[in-house]
Amino acid sequence: MTDTRSDRDGRRLGWFLAASGMLLVSTDSLWVRTSEADALDIAFIVGVLSLVLFGAIAMRRPSVAWVSIRTHTVPLLTIGVLGALSQLTFISAITHTEIPHVVAIVAAAPVLAAAIAWFALRERTSLRVVVGITLTLAGIGLVVSDSIGTPNLFGDLLALVAVVAFAASTVVWRRHRDMSRIVGLALASALMVIATAFVVDLGRLDATAWAAVLAMGLVCNPLGHLSYSTASRYAPAGEVALFTPVETVAGIVWAAVFLSEYPTLTTVAGAIIVIFGVLYATVLDRTTTQAIRKA
């Protein structure tokens, strides 16, 4: 069955949303490091700003939001918990390890999502995807091995928790495609605010920190997550997943250009293996390609 023009246009919109979303999210590590603020202070401010933004959008169509809450109560709560956990651990990871380590580990999200979908939903998967998952895990292992015996190891483990939570949320979004993205993201922001409200000290932030956190919390982070989570409505999940490595490549570039933070050869090798594993399991998977053509 051939694609109609509207199908192609919708798919291109999905590609654009996925790519722009990942590009915006890739700046998170730069803003966190530039602010030099405590991770919990950053998480609280980003959560508050995102909650205000998503809440305002949801209130434009309150009836739609309430229908989604009543229809998808458990999935939305799951998304909220996973989203808050992913954000908290990601921001904390940036303050405990090198940026190239974090973004290399985060690139594994698509194949980890495939693994979680296979385990939790019993979705059928091809041998090529299994090989891609294995390669990706090997790449993560190589990146983490670069931190063994150093304080960076804790940050790498936090990044691993962040990507697992993000991958799991991707599976939930895919399982419930008609669920309100805005309500889910607002709930994740609310839970992040609740989790950090009693330990923050905003008096520690200077003007530079406020500027960086506001840029992250008002623009890049919420719009990036909204754009990427919406992309799967217009393009197949396999194609949307192909744009996840944009965050890895861009994040490494931002760290090198603006922070003079360069990856080691081990980290580069691990990142290449992770990205190749993602591409091998998605764009090079004939089974996925055929399914996409029939979509």
Side-chain angles (χ1 to χ4, degrees), residues 15-99:
W15 296 344
F16 172 77
L17 289 172
S20 58
M22 285 295 95
L23 188 61
L24 285 169
V25 170
S26 73
T27 63
D28 281 359
S29 55
L30 177 62
W31 298 127
V32 171
R33 190 59 61 79
T34 299
S35 72
E36 297 184 350
D38 183 82
L40 296 180
D41 291 343
I42 298 171
F44 176 79
I45 297 171
V46 170
V48 169
L49 295 176
S50 299
L51 180 58
V52 171
L53 176 62
F54 293 136
I57 296 174
M59 287 302 98
R60 294 182 61 184
R61 300 178 65 186
S63 59
V64 175
W66 282 116
V67 168
S68 186
I69 291 172
R70 290 196 300 269
T71 306
H72 303 100
T73 304
V74 174
L76 281 172
L77 286 173
T78 304
I79 282 293
V81 172
L82 291 173
L85 178 63
S86 178
Q87 286 270 62
L88 281 169
T89 50
F90 176 83
I91 293 172
S92 297
I94 293 297
T95 63
H96 286 88
T97 190
E98 302 296 326
I99 290 176

Side-chain angles (χ1 to χ4, degrees), residues 276-295:
F276 178 75
V278 171
L279 296 178
Y280 186 82
T282 51
V283 70
L284 301 179
D285 184 0
R286 293 182 181 179
T287 303
T288 300
T289 302
Q290 291 172 358
I292 288 171
R293 288 175 179 174
K294 293 177 181 179

Side-chain angles (χ1 to χ4, degrees), residues 257-280:
V257 172
F258 295 104
L259 303 174
S260 298
E261 192 171 304
Y262 303 99
T264 64
L265 290 177
T266 302
T267 301
V268 171
I272 291 174
I273 293 173
V274 168
I275 292 174
F276 178 75
V278 171
L279 296 178
Y280 186 82

Side-chain angles (χ1 to χ4, degrees), residues 76-238:
L76 281 172
L77 286 173
T78 304
I79 282 293
V81 172
L82 291 173
L85 178 63
S86 178
Q87 286 270 62
L88 281 169
T89 50
F90 176 83
I91 293 172
S92 297
I94 293 297
T95 63
H96 286 88
T97 190
E98 302 296 326
I99 290 176
H101 284 212
V102 177
V103 294
I105 293 171
V106 167
V111 290
L112 290 180
I116 293 171
W118 172 79
F119 179 77
L121 306 179
R122 291 296 184 262
E123 287 188 359
R124 295 179 61 184
T125 188
S126 67
L127 177 61
R128 184 176 290 271
V129 173
V130 174
V131 173
I133 292 171
T134 303
L135 286 172
T136 300
L137 293 177
I140 291 176
L142 190 59
V143 172
V144 173
S145 71
D146 199 34
S147 295
I148 292 178
T150 73
N152 288 345
L153 181 59
F154 178 65
D156 287 1
L157 296 177
L158 285 173
L160 187 56
V161 173
V163 72
V164 170
F166 179 78
S169 68
T170 301
V171 174
V172 177
W173 285 124
R174 188 167 64 199
R175 177 79 170 182
H176 305 277
R177 296 187 181 184
D178 57 337
M179 185 168 61
S180 172
R181 265 61 176 167
I182 293 297
V183 174
L185 293 172
L187 184 55
S189 299
L191 292 177
M192 187 161 64
V193 170
I194 293 172
T196 57
F198 300 101
V199 294
V200 298
D201 182 3
L202 301 185
R204 294 179 291 194
L205 276 65
D206 58 17
T208 300
W210 275 108
V213 175
L214 288 174
M216 176 182 172
L218 277 179
V219 182
C220 299
N221 186 278
L223 295 184
H225 281 93
L226 178 60
S227 181
Y228 185 79
S229 65
T230 305
S232 59
R233 286 185 173 179
Y234 301 96

